[in-house]
Amino acid sequence: MNAFEIIGGKPLKGEITPQGAKNEALQIISAVLLTEKKVTISNIPDIKDVNKLIELLSDLGVTIERINKDTYTFEAKNINLDFFQSATFRTKGGSLRGSIMIVGPLLARFGKAAIPKPGGDKIGRRRLDTHFLGFEKLGARFDYDAKTNFFTVDATNLKGTYILLDEASVTGTANVLMAAVLAKGTTTLYNAACEPYLQQLCKMLNRMGAKISGIGSNLLTIEGVTKLGGTEHRMLPDMIEIGSFIGLAAMTQSEITIKDVHFEELGIIPEIFRRLGIQMERRGDDLFIPAQKHYEIESFIDGSIMTIADAPWPGFTPDLLSIILVVATQAKGTVLIHQKMFESRLFFVDKLIDMGAQIILCDPHRATVIGLDRKVKLKGLEMTSPDIRAGVSLLIAALSAEGTSIIHNIEQIERGYQHIDERLLALGANIKRISAEKPSH
């Protein structure tokens, strides 16, 4: 098994460019199934989850051409719907949570789809109900076979309707939206997610001929059309990577310039890092993070302890709470991290405690971090990455720690961050890929 060996405690320096957004990629690439015309997509991240989805589309019969390292053309002219019955589909679809995203486009265009129960991160219960309830409202019928863990969906006659989503799920909104663009009549989607990535999907679909209004709000109106055409689309940079690199710079006392961040699309992210006392400077569309010896967590105006919680956009993304938690371990002051949207995502703090951090895990959703203000350095440790975001948080902790750390299960990290070791090496990090057995405990 591959692992990372990291010798920490070394300041980094240089420029780093964020990859294309993983969470946008899974929606945008699935959307090519809505048309038989050619769609060109650029700034696609070279990561496992995205590559698996591209491979799945190829197996379905989509003609795919790689033009350069981050640009592909997709032509979904001859789709093989019998592929759903194959053992290959069960295996590949089941190992990729993003595979759920192909259901909406397939329902819209062909009136039927199937999906094995998807896999993905072990970060608590992630329901698929929002997707299926939305499809049902549009007129789809679905059947779940508990023996085979397989969903089949029939949607030969989708009709526009009013849908109040039971939660503002990004993937749920995207999936139902893609089904609705080719449905007869008008669909009103309320409590829709409104992340920049979802706005990107709406703009792309409109360029293809869809009629979506209310983009950027939580109330979308979709007038069904009979067919869509081709388009070109460039994906946004990954805001989770940008936040990870801000945290990396702070923890390792490094001077780092993050290139081409699309600052306007970052929402509240820079502000949350500023609340931890981290300085940053916008230079055009780059973000400059100076080397900082100390950073101090703000308190609220009434003097009470700072709380940082996740919330649906434009609130703070849950994917960056793990990074915030790690960065707070070396800040001056105390902060309560409240992970509202997923249980189990904070369980990696035991590794940080072993490294010397002062953290009280209050329950599965809340942790209090008492910052060490660099008076006590974290120490290197052998550990295992439980999910993508916690994995990168532990990687950042290891880069700031004294001594050597080994991180196992780096496949989890590489599901979300492309060539992360090479990019960190370019900043001067002491990181190498090794072959190592996972510890038995």
Side-chain angles (χ1 to χ4, degrees):
M1 297 292 284
N2 281 335
F4 285 144
E5 182 183 272
I6 299 126
I7 300 170
K10 182 184 177 188
L12 314 178
K13 192 174 173 115
E15 294 181 347
I16 192 162
T17 304
Q19 67 190 27
K22 171 192 179 238
N23 291 342
E24 180 183 344
L26 299 174
Q27 300 170 36
I28 295 291
I29 292 167
S30 299
V32 306
L33 292 166
L34 285 164
T35 178
E36 60 175 30
K37 302 293 185 191
K38 189 177 280 189
V39 178
T40 305
I41 305 172
S42 59
N43 204 24
I44 293 179
D46 182 13
I47 52 176
K48 287 188 176 171
D49 277 12
V50 171
N51 294 338
K52 272 186 182 176
L53 181 61
I54 291 171
E55 198 181 305
L56 193 63
L57 292 190
S58 176
D59 291 339
L60 262 171
V62 180
T63 305
I64 300 170
E65 193 183 336
R66 190 173 188 174
I67 296 181
N68 61 41
K69 65 179 173 52
D70 73 358
T71 305
Y72 290 76
T73 63
F74 300 86
E75 208 168 348
K77 196 177 278 184
N78 303 305
I79 298 299
N80 172 22
L81 294 172
D82 293 335
F83 175 65
F84 286 132
Q85 310 309 323
S86 69
T88 309
F89 178 63
R90 281 168 199 259
T91 309
K92 286 186 178 175
S95 68
L96 173 67
R97 181 164 290 279
S99 60
I100 184 68
M101 298 307 300
I102 67 174
V103 176
L106 289 171
L107 288 182
R109 193 164 147 217
F110 301 105
K112 59 180 179 177
I115 195 78
K117 200 174 177 182
D121 274 341
K122 291 185 175 121
I123 55 168
R125 190 175 55 105
R126 277 189 173 183
R127 300 184 303 113
L128 296 176
D129 303 46
T130 307
H131 301 248
F132 290 114
L133 291 170
F135 297 148
E136 276 189 328
K137 292 257 175 70
L138 289 169
R141 294 190 315 277
F142 78 92
D143 186 45
Y144 176 60
D145 185 336
K147 281 184 194 156
T148 57
N149 261 2
F150 224 76
F151 293 100
T152 51
V153 198
D154 179 286
T156 38
N157 190 17
L158 291 184
K159 286 196 177 81
T161 186
Y162 170 80
I163 300 173
L164 175 61
L165 292 177
D166 66 328
E167 61 176 357
S169 156
V170 179
T171 53
T173 302
N175 224 346
V176 175
L177 172 79
M178 288 190 282
V181 290
L182 294 177
K184 289 189 186 90
T186 301
T187 301
T188 310
L189 209 50
Y190 200 17
N191 194 27
C194 48
E195 265 80 352
Y197 305 145
L198 202 97
Q199 296 175 38
Q200 286 275 95
L201 175 67
C202 292
K203 289 170 189 169
M204 172 180 159
L205 292 173
N206 279 352
R207 286 197 305 276
M208 291 165 74
K211 293 182 177 173
I212 305 164
S213 55
I215 298 171
S217 77
N218 67 349
L219 180 62
L220 295 172
T221 304
I222 305 115
E223 284 180 56
V225 295
T226 51
K227 62 176 189 172
L228 296 177
T231 190
E232 291 184 4
H233 181 83
R234 182 167 179 81
M235 299 202 321
L236 289 174
D238 196 311
M239 64 171 86
I240 313 304
E241 267 218 343
I242 293 164
S244 303
F245 298 148
I246 296 170
L248 170 71
M251 278 293 277
T252 56
Q253 302 180 61
S254 302
E255 182 185 295
I256 294 176
T257 301
I258 309 166
K259 303 291 289 178
D260 306 323
V261 299
H262 279 248
F263 191 85
E264 305 299 337
E265 310 286 0
L266 292 178
I268 201 171
I269 291 169
E271 172 56 28
I272 296 293
F273 280 100
R274 283 193 187 103
R275 286 180 197 170
L276 294 186
I278 295 164
Q279 295 165 15
M280 62 190 81
E281 186 187 317
R282 185 178 174 182
R283 296 180 173 177
D285 205 25
D286 299 344
L287 204 52
F288 173 72
I289 320 291
Q292 264 182 277
K293 272 218 157 74
H294 297 279
Y295 48 96
E296 186 170 351
I297 299 166
E298 292 176 5
S299 53
F300 286 118
I301 290 168
D302 64 359
S304 57
I305 288 174
M306 174 63 62
T307 298
I308 294 177
D310 57 344
W313 188 271
F316 189 63
T317 170
D319 283 347
L320 279 174
L321 270 187
S322 310
I323 306 289
I324 288 287
L325 189 147
V326 165
V327 173
T329 64
Q330 288 297 344
K332 183 181 181 184
T334 301
V335 63
L336 176 68
I337 305 290
H338 192 170
Q339 168 61 275
K340 294 177 182 175
M341 292 169 74
F342 299 107
E343 59 272 12
S344 319
R345 246 195 183 171
L346 296 178
F347 288 164
F348 78 100
V349 301
D350 59 342
K351 316 282 194 311
L352 296 173
I353 292 166
D354 288 346
M355 293 175 87
Q358 292 205 322
I359 303 168
I360 302 159
L361 186 60
C362 311
D363 56 45
H365 289 276
R366 293 176 305 157
T368 302
V369 184
I370 299 131
L372 298 167
D373 193 22
R374 301 203 203 275
K375 293 192 173 89
V376 181
K377 281 193 172 175
L378 299 182
K379 57 181 184 290
L381 197 69
E382 185 166 356
M383 47 201 164
T384 301
S385 165
D387 67 67
I388 300 177
R389 308 307 173 191
V392 167
S393 305
L394 294 173
L395 180 56
I396 290 170
L399 285 162
S400 74
E402 239 171 15
T404 302
S405 295
I406 292 172
I407 300 178
H408 297 274
N409 201 22
I410 60 172
E411 290 75 16
Q412 278 286 4
I413 298 173
E414 291 175 324
R415 282 182 46 224
Y417 294 78
Q418 69 178 17
H419 317 304
I420 189 69
D421 50 337
E422 293 167 27
R423 293 154 79 205
L424 291 172
L425 277 168
L427 292 174
N430 197 331
I431 178 171
K432 70 176 177 187
R433 186 180 293 263
I434 59 168
S435 185
E437 285 300 313
K438 261 192 225 181
S440 54
H441 57 277

